[in-house]
Amino acid sequence: MWLNIDGVNILIDPGPGSLVRIFERGFDTRDIDVIVVSHRHLDHCADLNSVVESASESKKNPKDMLVCPSDVVEGEDPILLKYLRKALREYKYIGENVEIPYKNIKILGTVKHIHQGAETYGIEFHSKNKKVIYVPCGRFYEGMLEGYSENADLMVFNTTFPVKTEGYYHLSAQDVEVMLHRYKPKKAVITHFSIAMLKADPEKIAARLSRKTGLPVIAAYDGMRIDF
Ligand SMILES: [Zn+2]
Ligand SMILES: [Zn+2]
């Protein structure tokens, strides 16, 4: 996801295909200011190294910042290759109640999510006039009903299943409905679909969420552009 908020370009979760998609859509990696990785699973960061290499022009022009849980960069099995560490000027590790100022915006870590084998937190982007929330993967628990901002301009949910599915550490549309009632964003997007979700038709699921909550809910598709 490429987020432009108050003139700052943020690439969020560069999963498989991210590098190619960026150029296909007429964007340029060199315009990226900040890269955000929600967690170390490959569907969220498989292209991190390729994007960093490209954006920094092979480390000649380091990018400003990578925001991620520490296990993306450190520990025994980091996602970011060590030879690319100099391709970024600053590393900011996200956590609960962590505030990261960058130019005219703030990046905030909110609620800890429970997600198999990976550390991950809710992430908010605040500018003077806008609030965008990214709700990463994780299984629903009561703690997720506190800590996020209400009435955000845009709230993006990693919504893997149409209905609650035991044994998986992912959100369902039913969980998202509860969160929508609680946080009432001005616009919501569901994304990160499983096969079960695709079979159920994400557009129908989004339409049902809209009806039930009275909020505009949109099902994401590749290449979708959205104003907020
Ligand atoms: Zn994951
Ligand atoms: Zn995922």
Side-chain angles (χ1 to χ4, degrees):
M1 191 165 94
W2 183 297
L3 171 66
N4 181 289
I5 180 166
D6 217 355
V8 176
N9 287 310
I10 304 170
L11 187 73
I12 303 169
D13 280 354
S18 180
L19 179 70
V20 170
R21 296 284 194 204
I22 287 168
F23 287 103
E24 268 180 6
R25 308 286 170 203
F27 289 75
D28 191 321
T29 53
R30 290 173 296 187
D31 296 329
I32 296 168
D33 298 303
V34 176
I35 300 172
V36 173
V37 173
S38 69
H39 66 289
R40 55 177 288 117
H41 290 158
L42 285 181
D43 51 331
H44 299 260
C45 63
D47 264 11
L48 175 64
N49 292 295
S50 313
V51 168
V52 167
E53 172 93 29
S54 166
S56 67
E57 297 175 90
S58 305
K59 297 185 281 183
K60 283 195 288 291
N61 291 309
K63 291 280 102 184
D64 282 348
M65 196 188 278
L66 175 65
V67 175
C68 58
S70 59
D71 61 0
V72 171
V73 178
E74 293 181 22
E76 277 200 351
D77 191 17
I79 298 294
L80 185 76
L81 292 169
K82 287 179 185 165
Y83 93 91
L84 281 173
R85 288 215 185 154
K86 289 203 172 102
L88 292 142
R89 289 196 192 92
E90 272 195 286
Y91 293 87
K92 296 283 184 188
Y93 298 139
I94 197 102
E96 274 190 310
N97 307 314
V98 168
E99 189 177 311
I100 302 160
Y102 178 79
K103 292 185 178 166
N104 39 343
I105 66 158
K106 276 190 296 196
I107 301 170
L108 302 132
T110 62
V111 187
K112 186 174 177 61
H113 281 213
I114 301 166
H115 192 45
Q116 216 153 19
E119 210 187 326
T120 189
Y121 304 90
I123 306 168
E124 301 199 5
F125 305 87
H126 294 191
S127 70
K128 196 160 168 259
N129 304 312
K130 300 281 180 185
K131 274 186 190 153
V132 175
I133 303 179
Y134 184 67
V135 181
C137 296
R139 99 174 141 68
F140 183 78
Y141 73 108
E142 289 296 307
M144 287 165 81
L145 296 178
E146 291 303 325
Y148 281 109
S149 295
E150 293 173 18
N151 308 117
D153 295 277
L154 182 66
M155 194 163 184
V156 179
F157 293 90
N158 279 264
T159 314
T160 307
F161 297 112
V163 290
K164 273 188 185 294
T165 308
E166 286 304 316
Y168 290 92
Y169 287 68
H170 282 286
L171 289 177
S172 71
Q174 291 172 316
D175 303 321
V176 170
E177 187 185 329
V178 174
M179 292 181 77
L180 287 171
H181 279 297
R182 167 69 184 84
Y183 293 114
K184 297 188 175 13
K186 291 176 192 144
K187 206 179 261 185
V189 170
I190 54 171
T191 185
H192 193 285
F193 305 136
S194 63
I195 297 286
M197 190 64 153
L198 293 172
K199 281 185 179 158
D201 189 351
E203 288 198 8
K204 278 188 190 155
I205 301 282
R208 194 165 70 206
L209 285 170
S210 294
R211 273 198 312 277
K212 286 188 155 185
T213 61
L215 302 166
V217 182
I218 300 152
Y221 55 86
D222 289 344
M224 184 174 84
R225 242 187 134 114
I226 191 161
D227 294 316
F228 59 88

